[in-house]
């Protein structure tokens, strides 16, 4: 079976780096390129991080394209309090031996146009690049095979406001454009990403002893997130938000997905970036508000964690 051609759009970010590692270590996926966007960190920092991860994995053949340095309309917001100023939680990787190319939006348009209905687009940051591509060439997103988006919250509370997940809050206008694009869209929201994580015992007892460069990176990169979880009153766990979007591309069968009519709030003072679901049982006129979207609401967490650990660390026992 031929590997699935994919493009990753990302804002690295600790869990973005883990998602890149999973994608690049999975034979089911053919990573055609990586696009970067402003989000967890300024875009130039995230681009450098993507290049560093390619160096770690010795995958310098994968091209990186730098994208939008700010959201469509709102001021930039970053998550450096979560990921650190460097975006990698203080983990040290060698400076990249390769450079990125500007023009992520052009790369998206050209690649999708050249291979209509073949490309799976995995977006794990704010959706600015995707929205710009749609604005520049209306209908381009419908020419993908599917778009898998880590973002939003359906029933789960938000992680940056009471109602909004970070990626959608960082550029709600872009998220709305993508949701309304007519593309085959699968959302991987907080409802499912909060079900799987790297716990401190897994990190200390299964990853740390490996001593490989990849294991060392994962241990170093996750320490700040573990401490943040404890400080905020949660367990010391690093949720695998972005790797789960990659896992959806690898094997959707491990997820339970439902179709829901959704839209994204772009005006609310208290609800900016919220995913709004029309849950009404009975609607006058028979049509719910929103756009039919596949939403992952459940996952086989043991299968997913095994996939993640075995792929990025060659850790298969236990």
């Amino acid at each position: 079976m031929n590997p699935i051609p994919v493009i990753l759009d990302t804002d690295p970010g600790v869990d973005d780096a883990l998602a890149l590692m999973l994608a690049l270590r999975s034979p089911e996926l053919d990573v055609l390129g990586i696009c970067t966007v402003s989000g967890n960190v300024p875009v130039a920092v995230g681009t450098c991080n993507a290049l560093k991860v390619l160096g770690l994995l010795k995958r310098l053949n994968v091209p990186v394209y730098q994208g939008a340095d700010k959201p469509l309309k709102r001021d930039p917001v970053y998550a450096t309090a979560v990921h650190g100023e460097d975006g990698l939680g203080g983990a040290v990787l060698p400076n990249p031996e390769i450079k990125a190319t500007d023009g992520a939006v052009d790369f998206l348009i050209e690649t999708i146009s050249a291979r209509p209905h073949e490309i799976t687009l995995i977006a794990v940051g704010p959706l600015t690049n995707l929205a710009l591509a749609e604005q520049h060439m209306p209908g381009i997103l419908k020419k993908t095979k599917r778009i898998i988006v880590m973002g939003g919250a359906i029933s789960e509370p938000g992680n940056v406001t009471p109602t909004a997940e970070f990626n959608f809050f960082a550029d709600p206008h872009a998220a709305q454009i993508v949701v309304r694009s007519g593309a085959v869209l699968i959302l991987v929201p907080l409802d499912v990403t909060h079900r799987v994580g790297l716990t401190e015992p897994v990190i200390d007892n299964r990853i740390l002893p490996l001593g490989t460069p990849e294991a060392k990176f994962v241990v170093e990169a996750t320490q700040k997130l573990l401490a943040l979880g404890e400080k905020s009153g949660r367990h010391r766990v690093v949720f695998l938000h972005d790797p789960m979007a990659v896992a959806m591309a690898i094997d959707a069968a491990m997820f339970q997905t439902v179709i829901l009519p959704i839209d994204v709030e772009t005006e609310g003072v208290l609800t900016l970036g919220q995913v709004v679901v029309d849950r009404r049982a009975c609607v006058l006129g028979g049509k719910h508000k929103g756009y039919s979207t596949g939403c992952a609401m459940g996952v086989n967490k043991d299968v997913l964690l095994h996939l993640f650990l075995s792929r990025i660390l060659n850790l298969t026992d236990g």
Side-chain angles (χ1 to χ4, degrees):
M1 185 174 179
N2 293 329
I4 301 164
V6 302
I7 299 171
L8 274 80
D9 193 271
T10 178
D11 60 335
V14 173
D15 58 324
D16 303 76
L18 300 179
L20 290 174
M21 294 172 73
L22 177 59
L24 292 163
R25 284 282 176 85
S26 294
E28 297 90 346
L29 306 182
D30 177 16
V31 180
L32 304 179
I34 297 167
C35 298
T36 60
V37 66
S38 172
N40 287 321
V41 288
V43 67
V45 177
T47 300
C48 184
N49 290 342
L51 295 169
K52 287 179 178 180
V53 172
L54 291 178
L56 173 68
L57 299 183
K58 297 179 172 55
R59 290 294 304 273
L60 302 181
N61 60 314
V62 179
V64 177
Y65 300 88
Q66 184 162 295
D69 62 358
K70 60 183 179 180
L72 294 183
K73 294 184 179 181
R74 67 161 304 159
D75 292 335
V77 293
Y78 305 119
T80 52
V82 176
H83 299 269
E85 293 293 330
D86 66 347
L88 297 180
V92 177
L93 290 176
N95 289 326
E97 300 175 10
I98 54 175
K99 294 183 179 180
T101 303
D102 288 332
V105 174
D106 290 339
F107 170 72
L108 289 171
I109 291 173
E110 292 168 6
T111 307
I112 294 167
S113 296
R115 302 179 66 173
H117 308 294
E118 292 185 21
I119 307 297
T120 293
L121 184 51
I122 306 172
V124 295
L127 299 178
T128 317
N129 289 336
L130 280 65
L132 287 170
E134 183 69 17
Q135 289 180 331
H136 290 178
M137 183 176 284
I140 188 64
L141 296 183
K142 287 199 295 185
K143 292 185 178 181
T144 59
K145 182 177 182 179
R146 58 179 175 166
I147 301 175
I148 301 172
V149 171
M150 189 279 123
I154 306 300
S155 300
E156 190 84 353
N159 63 354
V160 66
T161 74
T163 61
E165 176 273 333
F166 175 80
N167 288 338
F168 278 30
F169 177 77
D171 197 340
H173 302 90
Q176 186 183 79
I177 288 171
V178 174
V179 166
R180 295 181 176 186
S181 68
V184 177
L185 182 65
I186 301 173
L187 203 64
V188 181
L190 295 181
D191 305 70
V192 71
T193 66
H194 276 165
R195 299 190 181 196
V196 184
L198 298 178
T199 61
E200 191 169 36
V202 168
I203 293 171
D204 289 347
N205 301 328
R206 300 183 64 190
I207 300 177
L208 179 62
L210 296 175
T212 63
E214 295 90 339
K216 181 181 178 183
F217 170 73
V218 172
V219 171
E220 290 181 354
T222 54
Q223 294 308 301
K224 182 176 178 65
L225 288 170
L226 287 174
L228 186 66
E230 182 177 41
K231 185 177 179 180
S232 62
R234 303 193 310 267
H235 295 297
R236 288 172 65 88
V237 61
V238 178
F239 293 116
L240 297 178
H241 299 293
D242 294 345
M244 291 183 72
V246 175
M248 173 66 79
I250 295 169
D251 183 10
M254 72 178 75
F255 293 89
Q256 295 84 54
T257 303
V258 298
I259 304 297
L260 296 172
I262 72 168
D263 208 338
V264 181
E265 178 58 56
T266 61
E267 303 296 334
V269 174
L270 298 177
T271 57
L272 185 69
Q274 179 181 356
V275 173
V276 179
V277 184
D278 191 344
R279 301 180 183 275
R280 293 175 292 174
C282 181
V283 181
L284 293 177
K287 185 172 177 60
H288 288 79
K289 286 187 174 293
Y291 300 81
S292 293
T293 302
C295 299
M297 300 298 287
V299 64
N300 187 324
K301 62 182 181 181
D302 293 332
V303 171
L304 192 145
L305 187 60
H306 174 80
L307 174 75
F308 176 80
L309 293 173
S310 63
R311 290 293 170 81
I312 75 165
L313 298 167
N314 295 319
L315 183 57
T316 58
D317 61 316

